[in-house]
Amino acid sequence: MKDYKEYYKNKKILVTGGAGAIGSMLTLKLIELGAKVFVLDNLSSGYTWNLPEKENNLLFTKGDVTNDIDLKRIFNEEPDIIFHLAAFFANQNSIDYPEKDLITNGFGTLKLLEYSKIYGKLKRFVYASSGCSIYPSDAPLPYKEDLPPSMYLSTPYQITKMLGELYGNMFFKNYKIPFAKARFFNSYGPGEVPGQYRNVIPNFIYWALLGDPLPITGTGEESRDFTYVYDIIDGLLRIGYCQEAIGNEFNLAAGIEIKINYLANLINKLTSNVQGIFYTSRRSWDTKPRLLASNEKAKAILKFKPETDFEEGIKTTIKWFNDNFEKIQSSAKFGPGLSSAVRLTK
């Protein structure tokens, strides 16, 4: 496969959720490649300060994927490619607010596909799915794309992420929408603001920089396949370019298993946090003590090459936190009335 970088020059790209953790970094990369980018984001978990100001190749719309007026406005711009990253994130949030999860992740994806069908000129619809949601908890590791999906999911978020894949498959088969699925695994890196419903790495870094102990839900021997955000963006851009990606699904993962104890101790070391760690009970919906993905399919078809060393990725993320700490601190969303590191244990 030829290099994708020239392909995006002068393309019109819609990024839903483009002010979020992955979306904002994807937007910056697309602008760098010479694309004209339309960002649609309701700012429920995204921040405009993550995006460049006064950028001629960026049109930001504060809006929602469920809103017809917003969608008509965007599709009037005649996008070539959609990267659909907007979501009601994530597992615990969906348990607390299951109806909001269904409206955003289910109805919102359906609306976007319906407009894509009416528009009829789309070159690619790249859907941000979740490898943590698709595969059964008792499936053999590493997870491969040809595994049968689970029929016993643990959270509304997992169900609606699966629902998005099913809708996309139907629109691909019935209406020839050029739909492709990117299954993320534990993204981390610059751009992700910590919060009650956010991922473990930004929360750990935030608490460590505040001098708080790091709470581990479980024994700490649990593992995840942490994937650096720029490696995920490289995978997304390859899916948007490669013709073989249409109708297909790809794990975008580092393919390396990292234990949570190691992660916490590494962050404490790199931030000089002497408060250590403490343990609390595992969350009831967390049924996968280990996560590890196979990225062989993405390597073979997309020439995907996750190259970021984990420790170097954590160092870069900590630097981003230090460079933007005042903005991060004002944007971080945790429950009221509790010290920061204890909030997720209550």
Side-chain angles (χ1 to χ4, degrees):
M1 185 178 75
K2 294 181 180 179
D3 187 65
Y4 61 74
K5 294 176 183 176
E6 287 297 319
Y7 175 74
Y8 285 95
K9 188 174 183 180
N10 297 321
K11 290 287 192 302
K12 295 180 179 180
I13 313 294
L14 167 60
V15 181
T16 71
I22 299 175
S24 59
M25 299 298 108
L26 174 62
T27 296
L28 292 172
K29 184 63 177 179
L30 285 165
I31 291 171
E32 179 188 316
L33 295 177
K36 184 172 184 179
V37 185
F38 308 100
V39 166
L40 179 64
D41 199 304
N42 64 10
L43 299 182
S44 60
S45 59
Y47 304 92
T48 53
W49 58 261
N50 254 340
L51 296 170
E53 296 181 7
K54 299 179 181 179
E55 171 56 61
N56 291 332
N57 278 355
L58 172 63
L59 174 64
F60 174 79
T61 297
K62 183 179 179 181
D64 200 282
V65 290
T66 65
N67 186 286
D68 285 296
I69 294 174
D70 297 329
L71 292 174
K72 286 176 182 177
R73 178 183 177 188
I74 290 295
F75 276 90
N76 280 339
E77 300 290 345
E78 300 186 335
D80 298 303
I81 298 168
I82 295 174
F83 290 98
H84 179 33
L85 277 67
F88 190 75
F89 188 85
N91 285 300
Q92 186 60 54
N93 202 12
S94 74
I95 290 172
D96 292 345
Y97 305 100
E99 292 182 3
K100 289 183 179 180
D101 174 85
L102 178 59
I103 291 168
T104 300
N105 296 356
F107 185 58
T109 300
L110 176 59
K111 293 284 287 186
L112 203 58
L113 286 163
E114 287 179 324
Y115 272 85
S116 299
K117 180 185 118 178
I118 295 167
Y119 171 57
K121 299 178 184 178
L122 203 63
K123 293 181 172 68
R124 194 67 45 88
F125 187 120
V126 182
Y127 173 66
S129 186
S130 169
C132 305
S133 301
I134 301 300
Y135 303 113
S137 58
D138 58 351
L141 298 177
Y143 294 153
K144 295 183 179 181
E145 291 88 343
D146 59 0
L147 282 169
S150 175
M151 296 300 292
Y152 297 93
L153 299 172
S154 302
T155 68
Y157 177 80
Q158 293 173 1
I159 292 169
T160 54
K161 276 297 173 183
M162 173 81 79
L163 180 61
E165 288 207 11
L166 295 174
Y167 273 134
N169 291 344
M170 185 196 76
F171 275 78
F172 166 66
K173 182 177 180 181
N174 292 358
Y175 308 116
K176 309 305 178 187
I177 300 297
F179 186 78
K181 292 158 280 188
R183 293 175 178 171
F184 297 166
F185 279 81
N186 303 104
S187 171
Y188 76 98
E192 185 169 13
V193 174
Q196 184 174 358
Y197 297 117
R198 303 310 303 180
N199 288 316
V200 63
I201 288 179
N203 284 347
F204 273 9
I205 292 174
Y206 182 62
W207 293 328
L209 289 174
L210 290 175
D212 287 344
L214 305 186
I216 293 178
T217 55
T219 67
E221 291 301 295
E222 297 84 0
S223 68
R224 294 294 181 260
D225 193 336
F226 293 109
T227 310
Y228 193 58
V229 63
Y230 288 113
D231 288 328
I232 284 181
I233 288 168
D234 175 70
L236 285 170
L237 293 172
R238 290 176 184 276
I239 292 173
Y241 168 72
C242 176
Q243 282 297 113
E244 290 182 74
I246 296 174
N248 225 325
E249 56 279 323
F250 299 93
N251 292 336
L252 296 186
I256 299 172
E257 199 171 3
I258 302 291
K259 291 186 177 181
I260 304 302
N261 275 330
Y262 171 77
L263 166 66
N265 288 319
L266 174 65
I267 289 174
N268 277 337
K269 174 186 173 183
L270 294 176
T271 58
S272 301
N273 181 29
V274 298
Q275 295 303 314
I277 59 180
F278 67 95
Y279 298 92
T280 185
S281 58
R282 186 187 298 175
R283 293 158 294 194
S284 60
W285 52 262
D286 189 358
T287 60
K288 296 176 180 176
R290 296 175 62 200
L291 278 177
L292 178 64
S294 168
N295 56 24
E296 293 305 312
K297 182 177 178 180
K299 286 180 176 179
I301 296 176
L302 306 175
K303 309 306 177 189
F304 174 62
K305 295 179 180 179
E307 297 177 339
T308 307
D309 174 78
F310 182 66
E311 184 169 336
E312 289 305 311
I314 294 295
K315 287 180 180 178
T316 304
T317 308
I318 291 171
K319 182 180 184 305
W320 178 80
F321 264 77
N322 283 319
D323 291 345
N324 297 277
F325 196 74
E326 185 175 336
K327 294 175 182 176
I328 292 168
Q329 196 164 26
S330 66
S331 301
K333 298 175 182 176
F334 291 96
L338 295 171
S339 63
S340 57
V342 182
R343 287 171 180 154
L344 294 188
T345 69
K346 296 295 184 181

